[in-house]
């Protein structure tokens, strides 16, 4: 890997066959398999552990929300609005729409003089099943506050306030906010992204194609920002501290990200993204992780990042045993009987 | 392929790389890919079209519910209880829990002197979002009637009544009902399945591992049962006629199976199963189809069976154009903007 832009070569069809990393059993047979690529990189850009095609150009999706939160700190917005760890954590979150998530976003909107109408992320029902049931039973409906990205979007509105730019259309590629985020991504990923593949995320903001190893490099720079400018060092430290302090906010009580950050006491700051992307920041090792399941399936991305954390000894064997139902979860049928398991593939290159 | 049992060889780890059949785009890039295997087989067991490892031992899951419904006809239960096309279709269904599905199952249960308490499938909320919202808003809760397999299970109870066996434990491998179904599967798939891999389905009944091409053979025998015993011929004809007449019952108004059966006016009787399995019965060609996405993802299985139906000219180019949003669906973000597409892979071996 290098810090140079590789002419944004697009590996479009994925005909190369990444290794089978995760398998799904049912009864006495493997029923489904998942291929993936991953890279573990240090802050100098050295790939220290990898599998599959880690140069594959990948949309980081929600797994790079910490990058998109850098302007929230670096513009001075976080100080100007006295943002808490909970607020900074939810700015980096894909949350489940549990009451504390929704209340946090609502209170933050009020603090900056905005309302849910200013959010451009769209609406969906809470992902957290019990919260969804309670919302509907009480006569409520989905709102933008329940959108899993609402924390990121209130963060965006806060930056617009601080930059004194009109927030209308803040999700668009051309908007000053998104251009500022693009600049932060370029410096953290070590690439000129002006001609990178692009599209739109589920919540409307741009997605930018970046080689997987360069996404890992950006995460390594969060883990060890010591060669970054001082303001960037401070921003990275504030964001990682907030996520470690408020793991509930990054996802939710039923979610893999929250459980692993809690179980490792913040030694592994991991974040899921749509289409089977995952990132990890390992401050004590100065390492960053990025992975993508070829097929976009979250269950395999979760098990694979667990495999990497075990390999890096961030999750030790005793902890792994305690977390077995999270890392290699059983599959239950509707009657509650265990019928299978999601697990590391028997021939995974680990 | 042969009708002989191949000592139930299990291809367990899937290290063989099936071709990329389906790709998912976002913006100007392919974001995710799906590998799969499929076979199109005639009733003599000749493979007329295939891709990937079609000998792979596969759980047919819900895609073989028509096989599991054979005893419903062959025991005389369907005649004894005057079953309608709607009831026989929902016995082969994975339905979405829309009101007409739930009402049909409830009325059928009453007709045979049973109640929802006799169903052993477990409960879940309706898959059909608007029906789920209305259920919860009206103070309702999930019941076994909403389970997508409830039609199959009331069919099972009906067979138990007709066989005059205690229905308690009817989901178990050892129960006379499941043994009868196993026999029907063996004769239709052309294999001794006594030592085949097995496990439990989401609704509790046994799953049996069968090579993909032998699942396709069973579907071919539904399409052209002329070399089967007369009672089997009649049972196959009654089931295919019922599904063609009542496509809503097999899935639901928003669902791929229902839309394709309706659009082809019953020329293609297709059925989804969990973990990316699909089957098809093409009566006019006397062909059966079976496919499995390696990764278990339904979106790719749907697009792949559409590709096969186009190749077989069951879906002609004009119909394909009308069905484009079903066969190769656009992906929308939360704001309703099209951001990508699920489509045939550019290099798919077709």
């Amino acid at each position: 890997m290098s810090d140079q832009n590789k002419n944004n070569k697009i590996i479009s069809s994925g005909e190369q066959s990444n290794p089978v990393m995760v398998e799904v059993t049912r009864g006495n047979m493997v029923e489904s398999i998942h291929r993936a690529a991953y890279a573990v990189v240090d802050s100098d850009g050295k790939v220290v552990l990898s599998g599959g095609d880690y140069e594959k150009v990948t949309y980081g999706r929600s797994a790079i929300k910490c990058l998109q939160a850098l302007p929230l700190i670096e513009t001075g917005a976080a100080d100007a609005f006295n943002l808490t760890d909970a607020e900074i954590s939810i700015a980096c979150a894909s949350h489940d729409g549990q009451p504390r998530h929704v209340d946090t976003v609502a209170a933050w909107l009020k603090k900056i003089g905005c309302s849910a109408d200013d959010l451009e992320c769209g609406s969906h029902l809470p992902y957290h099943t019990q919260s969804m049931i309670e919302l509907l039973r009480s006569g409520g409906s989905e709102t933008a506050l329940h959108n899993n990205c609402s924390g990121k979007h209130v963060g965006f509105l806060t930056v617009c306030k601080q930059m004194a730019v009109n927030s209308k259309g803040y999700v668009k590629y051309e908007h000053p906010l998104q251009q500022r985020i693009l600049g932060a991504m370029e410096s953290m990923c070590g690439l000129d992204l002006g001609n990178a593949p692009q599209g739109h995320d589920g919540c409307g903001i741009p997605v930018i194609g970046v080689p997987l190893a360069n996404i890992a490099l950006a995460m390594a720079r969060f883990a060890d920002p010591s060669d970054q400018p001082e303001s960037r060092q401070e921003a990275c430290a504030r964001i990682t501290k907030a996520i470690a302090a408020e793991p509930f906010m990054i996802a939710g009580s039923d979610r893999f990200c929250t459980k692993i950050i809690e179980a490792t006491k913040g030694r592994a700051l991991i974040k899921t993204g749509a289409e089977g992307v995952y990132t990890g920041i390992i401050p004590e090792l100065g390492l960053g992780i990025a992975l993508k399941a070829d097929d976009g399936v979250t269950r395999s991305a979760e098990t694979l990042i667990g495999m990497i954390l075990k390999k890096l000894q961030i999750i030790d064997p005793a902890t792994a045993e305690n977390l077995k139902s999270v890392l290699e979860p059983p599959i239950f049928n509707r009657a509650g009987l265990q019928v299978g398991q999601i697990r590391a593939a028997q021939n995974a290159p680990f």
Side-chain angles (χ1 to χ4, degrees), chain A residues 1 6 8-21 34-41 47 49-59 210-216 276-277 290-295 304 349-350:
Chain A
M1 201 189 82
K6 295 175 218 63
N8 298 298
K9 182 183 64 141
I10 304 177
I11 302 161
S12 63
S13 71
E15 282 304 323
Q16 287 170 270
S17 181
N18 281 323
V20 176
M21 299 287 192
H34 297 286
R35 297 173 186 274
Y38 76 93
V40 182
V41 174
V47 177
L49 199 66
S50 72
D53 174 20
Y54 59 73
E55 298 277 1
K56 175 84 168 72
V57 176
T58 304
Y59 294 135
V210 177
L212 207 48
N214 291 76
I215 298 175
V277 177
L291 68 86
K292 165 129 177 50
D294 293 7
D295 48 45
L304 177 54
F350 265 77

Side-chain angles (χ1 to χ4, degrees), chain A residues 193-254:
Chain A
L193 297 173
N195 295 309
Q198 58 173 277
H200 294 89
D201 213 327
C203 69
I205 71 161
V207 289
I208 310 289
V210 177
L212 207 48
N214 291 76
I215 298 175
L217 171 62
M219 297 302 134
R221 287 173 169 170
F222 264 97
D224 173 15
S226 58
D227 63 354
Q228 299 294 306
E230 197 171 334
S231 61
R232 175 65 46 90
Q233 290 188 38
E234 286 169 11
C236 288
R238 186 154 177 191
I239 288 170
T240 53
K241 173 180 157 292
I243 297 169
E246 292 283 359
F248 170 81
M249 284 294 170
I250 202 90
S253 53
D254 293 347

Side-chain angles (χ1 to χ4, degrees), chain A residues 174-305:
Chain A
E174 302 76 22
H175 190 279
L177 169 72
Q178 296 303 335
Q179 286 297 304
R180 178 143 188 164
I181 290 170
L182 183 63
M185 277 185 66
E186 287 180 321
S187 62
M188 292 292 274
C189 295
L191 289 175
D192 172 3
L193 297 173
N195 295 309
Q198 58 173 277
H200 294 89
D201 213 327
C203 69
I205 71 161
V207 289
I208 310 289
V210 177
L212 207 48
N214 291 76
I215 298 175
L217 171 62
M219 297 302 134
R221 287 173 169 170
F222 264 97
D224 173 15
S226 58
D227 63 354
Q228 299 294 306
E230 197 171 334
S231 61
R232 175 65 46 90
Q233 290 188 38
E234 286 169 11
C236 288
R238 186 154 177 191
I239 288 170
T240 53
K241 173 180 157 292
I243 297 169
E246 292 283 359
F248 170 81
M249 284 294 170
I250 202 90
S253 53
D254 293 347
R255 292 272 301 281
F256 190 88
C257 292
T258 296
K259 288 176 181 175
I260 297 300
I261 298 171
E262 284 178 347
T264 62
K265 299 185 172 60
R267 294 172 66 208
L269 304 173
I270 63 167
K271 179 70 187 74
T272 190
E275 292 294 332
V277 177
Y278 239 101
T279 61
I281 299 167
I282 315 295
E284 72 192 66
L285 301 177
L287 295 177
I289 306 168
L291 68 86
K292 165 129 177 50
D294 293 7
D295 48 45
V297 177
T298 297
R299 66 182 179 188
S300 66
E302 290 178 344
T303 290
L304 177 54
I305 201 155

Side-chain angles (χ1 to χ4, degrees), chain A residues 111-125:
Chain A
K111 179 156 77 171
I112 62 168
C114 288
S115 79
D117 292 340
D118 297 306
L119 297 171
E120 298 182 3
C121 50
S123 300
H124 62 74
L125 287 167

Side-chain angles (χ1 to χ4, degrees), chain A residues 21-39:
Chain A
M21 299 287 192
V22 172
E23 62 191 24
V24 180
T25 70
R26 179 171 295 262
N28 55 359
M29 195 173 90
V30 171
E31 186 169 26
S32 296
I33 55 172
H34 297 286
R35 297 173 186 274
Y38 76 93

